[in-house]
Each structure stands twice: as structure tokens, then as C-alpha cells.
Amino acid sequence: MRPQKQAGGLPTLPDGPHWPAKLLHGAPALLTYLDAEQRFRYVNDTHRSWLGIDPAEMIGRRLIDVVGADNYERARVALEQAYAGRLASYEGELHANGERRYAHGNFQPDFDAAGRVCGVFTALIDITERHQLELQLHESERRFFSAFQHAAIGMALTGPDGRFLRVNAALCQMLGYDEEALLRLGIAEVTHPDDMAADAELMMQLLTGQRENYQLEKRNLHQDGHVVYIQLSVSLVRDDDGAPLYFVSQAQDISQRKAFEDALHRERELAEVTLRSIGDAVITTDPQLRINSLNPIAEAMTGWSSEEAQGRPVEEVFRLFDAVHGEPVANPLHVAIGQNTIVDLAGRTLLRHRHGFDTPVEDSSAPIHDHAGNVIGGVLVFHDVSETRALALKMIHLTQHDTLTGLPNRSQLHEHLAQALAIAHRRQQRAALLYIDIHQFKRINDQHGHAAGDRVLRAFVAQLQRSLPGDALLSRHAGDEFVVVLPHMDSVGEAASLAQVLLNQGEQTQVDGLTELGLHVGIGISVYPDDAPDPESLLQHAETALAAIRGQGLHGYRFFTPSMNERTRARRGIEAALRQALPRRQLSLHYQPKIDARSGRIVGAEALLRWYAKGQELYTPDQFIPVAEDTGLILSIGTWVLRQACHQARLWQQQGHRIPVSVNVSPLQFQHADFLDWLDEVLEESGLDAGLLELELTERMVMSGGDATNALLQRIRQRGVRLSLDDFGTGYCSLSYLKHFPIDALKIDRVFVRDVIGDPDTATITGAIIAMARTLDKLVIAEGVETEEQAAFLRQAGCTQLQGFLFGAPVPAAELEQRFAEPG
């Protein structure tokens, strides 16, 4: 391409495209063509105003002679690249006419037919104004980053990939890192694992444009491992095209505030646990006397669950009547709140249960105040003053506490553990369970006797209690096995430290008169939520960790690991096998006799489920029935049991033996909408006289079901089927309430039967239960009778029927039939 002169004296580019001359000469850019010797062959008219040179005078002159050595040197590298055949660009200063301008230039090589560079097209534009704006922007950024660096709160710029791009001094101090160390990390490395998912989800919503910013309370991890609670505010900066550049995060340390909140939570939770544990009934309301909560005793005495009662007027749930005239009594809470004072019930007052029966009560009412003294609600505290109250409270204590050590027993452990996990979940903290065992404790009983063994256990418990933090709960789980629940901790190291203290203290147990006890203690530890989300699994995992210690003949402590979890695999194996047990005819019923306490004759039998294959018991009921209930298989299995038991009772009836058969009913069965239809179908199919079938229900099933349960019980009873209350005394049931339910018999729980000999309190309570039940015309059956002494006491107390290994273990129907003709 060779530039040529045009008519007006300026060069043209005849061999190139047909460039509009006015467009090229008037373009706001310096456009030139340089030949192979860097001489101008084309120059547009813009050079006149920029450089003060007539473009015509530039033609044929060398570039360096026109622009000067300084300007040439600035662009030399880019120019050399163009002459080497590569497109190049330059951005920098350009001095002309005594002015300093800022230019951006593109240099494009021109090739001849042989492919050799024969010249270069150049195009420079004046970007002075843009450059000034960039300088101003840089200054603005400098001021921003100065404010960023010295801000009182933690700040960070984070890339879309979550890596830190810039962090300020406050954030470094908050997390315990220097700036260089923190910049090597990302959000994931400093965020508590349990909080990362929520943070990542919100960041993704910013990236996808679903939100412009977000705020979040989260836990970060200090370099030393402790938790730092922060209030996080995050926004996203995008470029001109909308592409994300970086997140701007502001983090305020709220650890102190969380500590205050945590202390407040603990106070509230302590109050909640106290309310659930005390023997009095408690109802709380708002200032308008709408109910906020009922504790378990209040639920039992009113017939309302706390959930059902919430938001209802207090008069609807807490209904009071005069004991003499039967007239309604004004609720004392009105006066207590209205006059801001404590008010007690006057005279004899009755509380009417939801099912219509009355209980004599004493009551105290008081307003609840906030920190400023304003009334924000009210509280009713009341209790049953009938003669059964003291008995009921003693029964509850006996069934919830170990008689030897006074510790909460297994049933209380599960309730407290569930509460502890709920609290840990709300606080987003860990909790731990420590399962403690004294190795080979049987050796002490064998060497020194059981009385001495009991003394050792009491001394051992005292040693443990001295070492426990105030909020830990110690329970006796079995003979020489104990459980500690640590309801909250920031790290698993706290559980390890406590375990070591308990080991040291427990193994130093001493008892007067017994030398060289040499106790060896093992502790299995499981952590919530790391190891399990629920109480049962957490307990199983801690026991599994303990078993690992036992299996190696060691003492010490060990944390649960998934590789230990043979128990879980075994449970899955039970479930899989249980699904095939019915089709394979592996399930069968055994029958345990019930004996008339006076004559000694068999007057009934309890049907008990067994699982055998090839003559061997595969699993015990304690192993497979919980699995059946958890998986729902109990519905089909329970129906099969009911059908088999009815057919067997009908067969005995046809043989001339009217032996009532009792069948345990699972809560899942009883609460099923079709239960009554199943019962009718089985009775019709078997042809059994309904009076020869007895359904055993738990106390909690009867007492907690409300009106629907009572109606179902009435309908069952109308069919002639007998109803008995199993494990009586293990819940909140009051004997005075029983007359309002169609219950034929009470089965005294084996925990009472076990201790009637040797424990005067248990003997007194058991005798009182039997006497009061008989006044209500209820049959009384004692289960778990194993000695003649127990049987003699129960007969003397007036027990109607006896059941237990003393009179026969559960056996197949054919074996039991052989005893029907035996004299008493």
C-alpha cells in the first residue's frame, strides 16, 4: 500500500479501503501510516491541533524527528513489536506544544504481497480526561482503604471464590491472625463448620442477584480454636457489565452479647427444667390472662396439654368451684394482676378436670414483672391436697430415681438428655454424654458381699459428684454403670478433660473397712451433634465406645468413632430380618400365667412375643420390639399378635378353659385411626368371647390422650373387652383420676414389687396403691414377683393376681395347657 497525494495536498491511501477523507481527517485521533523506514506516508489533519504541525510538512519525515526523542522512546517498544509483525499498543504520556497529555495508541503492521512488514498504521487517542478521572478514583480508593484499614469493626474484601483479598486490622485482631496469614485463608477456614452452609447459601443469593445484601449472626473460629460470635453484614460489588468483583463484609464481635444471652437462656432453661420437675402444678399467662404454658403436673391435673392450652383464656383451662356449694370460684389471678399482689385461694376449692371430675387444690397466684417492675403476666402455682397427692409424688420419685444412690434413673436420664440436646440445638453448641463403668465390679460383691458393694457404689457416686460442673447431670443407668450428661461445651476437649478428672476421682474411691479396692473405670464418650442427633443414638454410641475399652481389657476414656458402630449395623440387621420374620413364621407367642393370689390357680395369661428360628432365639424382645416401633413394623406385627392371641384363647375356650388372655398394645397401634376396626375384625374372625380378651395399655397412653382417648376406651369397653393399666406408678397418673376411665385392672410396676421386701417406703406405697385401687373396684395385678416373700407381702396387702417367674416363665401355649388342671 502506498500513500498518494490528494487534490487538496493531503495524502490518501489509494490501495487500501475507500476511507472517507473527511472521516479520517476529522477523526478525534492521530492517524498515520509509517513506511518501513518509519517515515510518515499518511497523516490526518488532527495533528495540526494536537502537535501544532501542518500534516503536509510531516510527509516523508522520520517519526523520531517529528515527535522528539522523549516521545519516541516512550512508544519505542510497542513500535518495534508492530514492525516485527505483531499488533501492539501503548498507553502513556505524550508531550506536544508544551502540554502534557495522556494517550492510548494502537500500532498495526501492514504486510506486502510477500508477507513482509512494509509499514505500520498508528492510531492515538487523547485519554487525558479519563486519566484524570482514574487518578481521582485511585485517590478515592486510597481514602476508602485507609478508612477500611482503620475501621473499628472487622472488614474484608472477599473474592467470589470465598478467598480473602483484603482484611483490616480489626478483623485480624478479632480472629487472632496477622494480615499475611489471614490472606492465605478463605471464609470456609475461619467459619464454624455448622454455620458454613447458611453463609454459603446467602453468598450464592448475592451472586445470582436474588438479594443485594444480607445480615447474619454466625460463629467464626479464632486461631486458637475458640468460637467468636459475629454480626455479619455483606454486600457485593460488580463491574460495569454486572460481573461480580468482590464481597464487602463487615463483622462486629458480639461474643460478649452472646454470653449475656447464653446466661439468660440458661436461667430460662433452669426455670423450665425446675417447673417440669417440681411436684406442684404451674400455669403461666400473659397480662390478659391468656395461657402461655403448663408444666407436666398442671397438664395431668387439668387434662390439657400445654400446646393445646396456649392462647386460651385461663378460665377455660383452670376451672375452680366451691367445694361446699359447687358454685364457680373467681380466678385469683385476676386480683393478683389487677392489684399487683400475691393472692391465695380462700376456703375449700375444687379444680375441675377436662374430663369433668374434681380435685381439691390449694393455690397461690402472683404477677410476673419485667426488670422495670412492670406486670408482664401471671403465674398460678397449685397442688392436689387430696390424700393421694403425697402417694403420687412418692411413686413418681421412686420410679424416676435409683433407691440406692438417690440419682436419677434410666427413665429420668432420657428425659433430661432430650432437654439437654434441645438446648444445645438452640444454642448451636455441642453436648456430650459420658458412659461410665466400673470394670469387674462383681469381684467386689463376691469378695466383700453385696452390702459392701452398695457402700462402694455410694462412695463412688460421691466422688463423681464432687468433680462435676454445676450444670452436668449424673444418672445411674444400670448396676455399676453411670451416665453424665454435659449439656453444653465449646469443644470436645472439655469432655476429655472432665473424663480424665472423673477417672482420677472414681479410681481413688475409698470405703472404711475395705482396703485396696483398686477400682478401674472406663468411660465411653459421644458428642452431639457430631456423633448422633438424638438421645437414644447418643447413648448407644457412648456405650459402644465403652465396649471398645472393655474389649481390650483397658481402663481410661475413649471417644466414639464410626468404625465402632457395630450396634447401628446390628440394628439395621434386625430391621432387615424383622421384615421377613412374619413371612418366614419365625415369630411366636409365649404365655406367662397369672395366678389367683389366694387359691394359686391360673386365672389368666399374658401373651408375649418371641422370635425363634431353628429352635434358637434370634433376638430378645428388648432388642427387636424397639426396632419394630421405630420402623412402624409394629402395626402389622401387633395385629398378628392380637389375632394369634384371640385364636388361642378361643381354642382354650372350646376346650372348656375360660382363660382370659392379655395383649400389650403399642402406642402406635392404639393411636392408629383403624385400631377399633382391627379389633372388631379380629374378634369376629376368631369368635372369641370379648370378655376373654384384655388389652394392656401404658399409663401415659391413657392419661395423655385427652377426650379422643377416653372416647376410644369407652367404645372398647362397650364391646366387652377388658382394659388394664400396665406399669402403673411410672407416670403422673393419680389414683383419684382412675375412676373416670373404664379401666378394669392395674398392674403394679415391677420396680415396686422388687423393693417391697427391705424398703419400708416402697412397701408402704405399694400397700397404699393396692388398698386405694380396691376401693375403686379395680383388679390389682403384681408383675415381676420372683420370691415367696414378695408374694406373701402382696397377698397380705390385698393384691388380686400375681405374675412372675416365681409362678412360671413365659412358655408355648401347649406347655401352659398342661398346668390348667393343676390344683391351686
Side-chain angles (χ1 to χ4, degrees), residues 426-454:
R426 288 201 299 271
R427 294 178 180 168
Q428 295 185 320
Q429 288 183 319
R430 287 184 169 96
L433 188 147
L434 287 68
Y435 199 117
I436 305 171
D437 169 65
I438 305 174
H439 291 351
Q440 297 181 344
F441 186 76
K442 184 176 181 294
R443 174 181 56 83
I444 293 176
N445 283 330
D446 292 342
Q447 289 179 358
H448 304 288
H450 287 277
D454 289 348

Side-chain angles (χ1 to χ4, degrees), residues 698-822:
T698 67
E699 182 180 325
R700 192 170 294 275
M701 286 165 59
V702 172
M703 293 304 298
S704 62
D707 293 335
T709 295
N710 198 24
L712 178 57
L713 292 173
Q714 296 288 354
R715 294 174 69 185
I716 293 172
R717 194 66 192 87
Q718 287 167 5
R719 284 157 170 75
V721 175
R722 296 172 58 80
L723 296 169
S724 67
L725 207 57
D726 197 13
D727 301 333
F728 183 76
T730 59
Y732 292 105
C733 185
S734 168
L735 280 165
S736 61
Y737 292 177
L738 286 178
K739 62 185 177 182
H740 303 284
F741 295 97
I743 300 297
D744 299 286
L746 303 182
K747 294 192 75 173
I748 300 177
D749 187 74
R750 64 184 66 244
V751 71
F752 297 106
V753 173
R754 181 190 63 205
D755 295 328
V756 291
I757 305 300
D759 186 343
D761 283 345
T762 301
T764 300
I765 290 173
T766 304
I769 292 173
I770 295 171
M772 296 189 69
R774 288 176 66 86
T775 64
L776 296 174
D777 199 26
K778 308 293 184 186
L779 202 69
V780 183
I781 306 165
E783 60 180 346
V785 182
E786 297 183 357
T787 68
E788 286 289 357
E789 291 81 2
Q790 292 170 346
F793 174 88
L794 293 165
R795 287 192 193 95
Q796 183 64 33
C799 199
T800 317
Q801 296 179 10
L802 305 176
Q803 179 183 349
F805 280 91
L806 179 62
F807 307 105
V811 293
E815 290 186 35
L816 186 61
E817 287 175 15
Q818 297 174 13
R819 296 185 54 189
F820 286 167
E822 292 178 2

Side-chain angles (χ1 to χ4, degrees), residues 687-699:
L688 179 66
D689 180 347
L692 295 178
L693 175 64
E694 180 177 293
L695 301 182
E696 292 193 10
L697 311 173
T698 67
E699 182 180 325

Side-chain angles (χ1 to χ4, degrees), residues 186-207:
I187 292 174
E189 286 94 336
V190 299
T191 297
H192 192 287
D194 294 343
D195 292 352
M196 191 59 226
D199 203 3
E201 172 63 24
L202 290 169
M203 291 174 67
M204 183 57 65
Q205 291 179 16
L206 285 185
L207 290 170

Side-chain angles (χ1 to χ4, degrees), residues 33 96 135 239 306 345 431 462:
Y33 180 87
L135 290 176
D239 64 17
S306 184
L345 273 178

